[in-house]
Amino acid sequence: MTNLEVSMDVADYAGRDATELAQLINQGEVSAADVQAAAAAAIAQVDPVLGAVAGEVFERPLAYDASGPFAGVPSAFKDLIIHAAGVPQRNGSRLFGPGVMYADDTALMARLRRAGLAMMAVTTSPELGFNATTEALAYGAPTRNPWDPTRTAGGSSGGAAALVAAGALPLAHANDGGGSIRIPAAACGLVGLKPSRGRVSAAPDHADPLLGMGAEFAVTRTVRDCAALLDAIHGSEPGDKYLFPAEPTSYSTLISHPARALRIAVAGDLSQADPACADAVHSVAEQLASIGHHVEEATPRIDAEAFHHANLDAWCSFLAHTVTTAAKALGVDPGTEHLEASTRACVAYGATRSAADLYVVEETFNLARREVARLLTDYDVYLTPTTASPNLPLGHLDADDASLTAHDWYRKIFDFAPFTALFNATGNPAISLPLARSAEGWPIGVQFVGPYGDEATLLSLAADLERRFPWHQHRPAIYAH
């Protein structure tokens, strides 16, 4: 059916996930143009408050494959690492001015286009991704949480999460170097999967982004969208370091069957977590036991001090290299007009790290990988809070606070997010699910971690929990209508 006279209103659009929108378009019940027009109207409605779009919505969506599984479904990509030919990229930083233009897509952008996603905008990121909120000076205003606009949407994929949670997009690209998919998913009440290292290629610009800690994927409202998108975009590219065998069954098919009885380890010491987040984990553990899973306390034996020192060195070395390389290419001497205070402090510290220091980082991460692998040999899944509190007030993680050293800034970020970064270092898949609510009505994320390469178990369990706790029935205060 073509040249439809019927348009899709915003409320109808916002109430559907990407899978359903794709079905409607494919069956001719609504045109892709109608769906995209509804998305543009939804973004225009919510973004003046949320501040989640970096720049302006595109005049027309980027070209996409009309035969892809999500053909015509609106989406957006984050202003960090990924790039599309001819679209300015700023990485959340004034260092890049109005944006750097690339002649080609990254491999992931090409896969997203082949999946049929209609990219309508770029979403906000904190400066170079090193923050658990999204309040970069480069954009002029913070990104706000649709559940409570006085609170953070999380970071670093906060713009993506805010738009998806508010119904403006059904799903959006996100990436994760220390929790940056899972943290905003938790803050905004979404499904946030960080895939196994190498599951989604970072080609051609990177082999192991952020010393192997960076992972690419998305935030979604439903588990079925998460599974279907992973089906569409996972896989290696020529020259990649990691090659996964093909799954015997698609993720979309796997989630239609209940998870097998699992051995689930629950983090024992939750003293770093707000009581609401700790209670959420205990409540979910009880529910899991009641439906037949074997649940008990068990925690990997990690030297936390050594791990955090290594993670600080990894992040600051990355920031120092990125800023130095970009500044040289751009012909600028980066100062206060280019970089936030926390970035300058981290770059200065990173510049003092030696090759020997980075070998210590890898040795420390190797010990962590071995220990997490030991735990996940005895158990199928490890359960923790996603964050230490449901969210934070805007301004709490002020990246332009010149009084903070690199060490101070690192501690401030990871006091809020002490449970996520370990699994960036180890490469394990981890997913945040919005399984609880705070007294204020804010979503609370709970994190499940699986063995390396075993997204299938996480997604099967997530689908079971979604059926038991249908979180997408709850909508935030700011929602497209």
Side-chain angles (χ1 to χ4, degrees), residues 43-349:
I43 295 170
Q45 186 182 108
V46 302
D47 197 57
V49 176
L50 298 180
V53 174
E56 302 291 335
V57 174
F58 303 149
E59 189 173 316
R60 63 180 60 83
L62 302 187
Y64 59 86
D65 186 341
S67 65
F70 291 104
V73 172
S75 189
F77 60 99
K78 181 178 172 182
D79 187 19
L80 188 71
I81 298 179
I82 190 174
H83 54 77
V87 178
Q89 182 197 50
R90 301 183 70 191
N91 298 300
S93 178
R94 294 166 294 162
L95 175 64
F96 298 91
V100 175
M101 297 276 237
Y102 292 85
D104 300 301
D105 290 349
T106 58
L108 175 56
M109 179 58 66
R111 287 177 181 245
L112 291 166
R113 291 190 198 243
R114 286 199 298 272
L117 290 170
M119 293 296 169
M120 302 191 63
V122 177
T123 62
T124 53
S125 165
E127 185 164 77
L128 299 172
F130 195 38
N131 203 339
T133 186
T134 303
E135 302 178 47
L137 294 181
Y139 307 123
T143 299
R144 299 176 181 274
N145 191 317
W147 293 87
D148 181 340
T150 71
R151 314 294 289 190
T152 174
S156 64
S157 306
L163 288 175
V164 174
L169 294 171
L171 56 79
H173 162 262
N175 45 36
D176 190 318
S180 291
I181 290 174
R182 292 158 289 159
I183 293 165
C188 293
L190 301 174
V191 177
L193 172 67
K194 181 197 77 69
S196 299
R197 179 173 298 151
R199 176 69 76 186
V200 177
S201 178
D205 299 345
H206 302 278
D208 276 331
L210 190 54
L211 300 183
M213 293 193 293
E216 298 284 335
F217 193 50
V219 287
T220 68
R221 291 201 296 270
T222 64
V223 174
R224 69 176 183 175
D225 278 1
C226 183
L229 185 63
L230 192 59
D231 280 332
I233 68 171
H234 80 87
S236 61
E237 293 284 333
D240 279 359
K241 292 173 66 174
Y242 306 100
L243 300 175
F244 287 89
E247 293 285 356
T249 309
S250 75
Y251 296 112
S252 293
T253 300
L254 282 169
I255 65 168
S256 65
H257 305 292
R260 70 185 191 280
L262 300 172
R263 300 163 298 165
I264 299 176
V266 182
D269 180 9
L270 299 182
S271 58
Q272 292 173 281
D274 180 279
C277 295
D279 289 347
V281 167
H282 295 145
S283 175
V284 169
E286 290 173 4
Q287 292 282 341
L288 291 167
S290 74
I291 58 177
H293 299 292
H294 175 74
V295 180
E296 64 184 27
E297 282 192 6
T299 301
R301 299 185 293 267
I302 303 293
D303 182 334
E305 183 177 352
F307 172 77
H308 284 298
H309 190 274
N311 197 36
L312 170 70
D313 281 5
W315 264 101
C316 291
S317 298
F318 160 76
L319 292 168
H321 171 71
T322 300
V323 167
T324 301
T325 303
K328 183 177 180 180
L330 294 167
V332 300
D333 182 14
T336 56
E337 71 276 26
H338 302 104
L339 297 172
E340 295 166 2
S342 65
T343 304
R344 298 197 304 274
C346 290
V347 167
Y349 174 71

